Amino acid sequence: QRRVRGTTPYFQQAKNKVMAMIRQLDSPHIFLTLSAAEVSWSELIKMLLRKENNWDVTDDEVDQLTDTEKRKVISRNMIDVVTHFDSRIHAIYNAMKKPGILGNYRISDFFCRIEFQQRGAPHVHSALWLEDGDGKKPPHYDGTENSAEECCHFIDQLICGQIPTDSSELHDEVSSKQTHGHTFTCRDGKKKVVLVIKSDEGHGKFDGINEGPEMIYEKCRFRYPRFPMRKTMILKAAQKNQNVSYKELQTMKKNCKKIRKYLIRQSYIEKKGDETAERDALFSLTFDEFLEEIGLNEDEYLDAVTTAVNTKGVGAEVFLKRDCKDIFTNNYNPNLLTIHRANMDISYIIDEYAIVAYIMSYLTKGEGGMSRLLKQIEDEAKKYGYSLNENLQAFARALYNSREFARPEGFYRSLGLPMCFSTRTHKFINLNIPKY
């Protein structure tokens, strides 16, 4: 059953492999997620139309197609779309093995896992180990100010959280593919966590003076809107600072709520693409003007932000340089986004404990709802004395009949495309004492 891709035992084995890589290679340096944007890939549409019509299609002809027409072409040729994504991803990761895309750094090792979004499209989650041309690894955060500065310098070379100010192709890619819009996926599972913003809250320094509609805001598990920052910083959780008194901590938490409520109220829109005067005014603020609007100085602001830092593990977090207009911009690498032209997420791994927790719960997670069913089948097999072949057939029926999945995933399975792959081969050595 470990060979049946997509089953819980399959991903359990994959988890063991990546944990072995961490033990041998130390913690990875970067988390990277690449999604698919088939409609935006004109080269893919050209290839599909050339296959269907048996003649070359120009770029102008592709540009004249509506998104609906492109989706129909994609739907008619889903096998080609799936194999294109698989080839595209492998080509990108192979290219990153050399310096260039990631600046002076290159991938020395990686572990990747293919997953399928709600709409059925594949995307890849990966853990990357990096080194420069001399074989030197990126800096590791050890809690000191010097290491924080070194790490921030490294982060700024690879990761960006700002919309380019010019009217370049990169600006268009970031605006269209890296701007967060709240959807049902922002919920943390089935839980609905809300933040109540009273009528006299969310006005910054005019809290208690200005009035507006009361808001019941459903919190985003991706933590948007993000905090504006003058520069990239690594901040430690205030809760772990023994020099902060209880009274000071409560003041900092109060200021943090004040900031969040201000950002939410001023940036709120009913649906993606809407514009409001308050949102436009917020996005036009410089960082100093933003501090003026919330009525805090920079030290008070940074102290407040530290109360939002995750206290697990090392109790520190990276905050990218962001202007007010960038509070909904997702992390990206400019070179990768220009090449791949699809939504991505990239982050620096600051906490070696977080990497283990992430892998355990997400990177190699099995398919939802299958574990209990497979356990029930295994118990029945033991009870009724199924043969190995009967047991495997029962597992196969459960896998293919007990969960709905979209065509891309079906083609991934039927074509034998890998759902997990890495730069390392693995060999299991049984160290148990043999029983005679």
Side-chain angles (χ1 to χ4, degrees), residues 90-366:
H90 280 82
I92 289 175
Y93 279 81
N94 286 330
M96 288 193 291
K97 291 180 180 179
K98 300 177 181 179
I101 296 178
L102 300 178
N104 296 326
Y105 288 90
R106 69 176 190 88
I107 291 178
S108 58
D109 286 283
F110 63 74
F111 176 87
C112 297
R113 190 266 209 238
I114 301 294
E115 195 178 44
F116 298 88
Q117 297 171 326
Q118 293 288 339
R119 66 185 181 92
H123 61 281
V124 58
H125 301 290
S126 57
L128 310 181
W129 286 261
L130 305 183
E131 64 181 21
D132 61 16
D134 298 325
K136 184 179 179 181
K137 296 183 179 182
H140 175 71
Y141 179 68
D142 61 10
T144 64
E145 291 186 8
N146 287 338
S147 71
E149 291 181 6
E150 292 178 357
C151 291
C152 288
H153 177 70
F154 165 74
I155 293 167
D156 284 335
Q157 293 180 61
L158 264 66
I159 306 174
C160 185
Q162 295 180 286
I163 302 175
T165 54
D166 57 3
S167 57
S168 62
E169 179 183 350
L170 180 61
H171 175 277
D172 296 338
E173 293 292 336
V174 174
S175 299
S176 62
K177 298 184 175 69
Q178 293 298 118
T179 301
H180 179 79
H182 295 308
T183 65
F184 69 94
T185 60
C186 293
R187 284 190 182 183
D188 189 4
K190 295 183 179 180
K191 295 187 296 183
K192 184 177 180 179
V193 183
V194 299
L195 175 67
V196 178
I197 304 177
K198 297 178 181 179
S199 59
D200 61 347
E201 295 178 329
H203 307 285
K205 63 182 179 181
F206 296 110
D207 278 357
I209 301 174
N210 288 358
E211 292 281 338
E214 182 174 304
M215 300 175 62
I216 300 179
Y217 179 81
E218 189 171 343
K219 289 186 178 180
C220 172
R221 69 183 177 97
F222 303 111
R223 303 172 73 182
Y224 287 96
R226 301 284 174 89
F227 292 107
M229 298 294 292
R230 188 187 300 277
K231 63 179 182 179
T232 299
M233 301 183 72
I234 296 178
L235 300 180
K236 298 180 181 179
Q239 293 87 335
K240 288 199 169 187
N241 189 345
Q242 297 180 351
N243 296 323
V244 176
S245 67
Y246 175 79
K247 184 177 180 180
E248 290 172 330
L249 182 61
Q250 296 307 114
T251 300
M252 292 157 67
K253 287 183 176 180
K254 181 179 178 181
N255 286 338
C256 186
K257 287 185 178 180
K258 175 182 178 180
I259 297 166
R260 283 195 183 279
K261 291 180 178 181
Y262 174 80
L263 291 173
I264 291 170
R265 180 179 288 280
Q266 301 305 317
S267 66
Y268 180 77
I269 52 176
E270 290 290 340
K271 62 181 184 295
K272 189 175 181 179
D274 287 353
E275 294 182 2
T276 64
E278 292 80 6
R279 187 181 177 94
D280 291 341
L282 171 64
F283 288 178
S284 68
L285 296 176
T286 65
F287 184 73
D288 289 319
E289 290 170 341
F290 167 69
L291 293 179
E292 173 67 23
E293 287 298 315
I294 59 176
L296 300 173
N297 61 43
E298 189 164 357
D299 288 337
E300 292 172 333
Y301 175 73
L302 294 177
D303 285 343
V305 173
T306 60
T307 63
V309 174
N310 193 332
T311 57
K312 296 180 180 179
V314 298
E317 193 172 330
V318 176
F319 292 86
L320 292 181
K321 178 181 178 181
R322 278 189 170 89
D323 295 322
C324 289
K325 63 180 174 57
D326 306 313
I327 58 176
F328 288 99
T329 302
N330 197 23
N331 302 359
Y332 67 94
N333 175 276
N335 293 334
L336 263 178
L337 184 60
T338 302
I339 294 171
H340 186 52
R341 304 194 315 281
N343 177 257
M344 64 175 296
D345 186 49
I346 182 171
S347 56
Y348 173 70
I349 298 173
I350 191 174
D351 188 351
E352 60 187 16
Y353 299 101
I355 169 65
V356 176
Y358 183 84
I359 288 171
M360 293 288 284
S361 64
Y362 189 61
L363 192 58
T364 54
K365 67 182 178 183

Side-chain angles (χ1 to χ4, degrees), residues 48-71:
L48 298 178
L49 290 174
R50 184 166 60 245
K51 174 192 170 186
E52 285 187 343
N53 303 321
N54 201 26
W55 68 71
D56 288 335
V57 180
T58 65
D59 290 334
D60 291 337
E61 290 175 316
V62 173
D63 293 338
Q64 290 174 4
L65 295 176
T66 65
D67 286 351
T68 300
E69 291 172 328
K70 291 178 181 178
R71 289 190 179 95

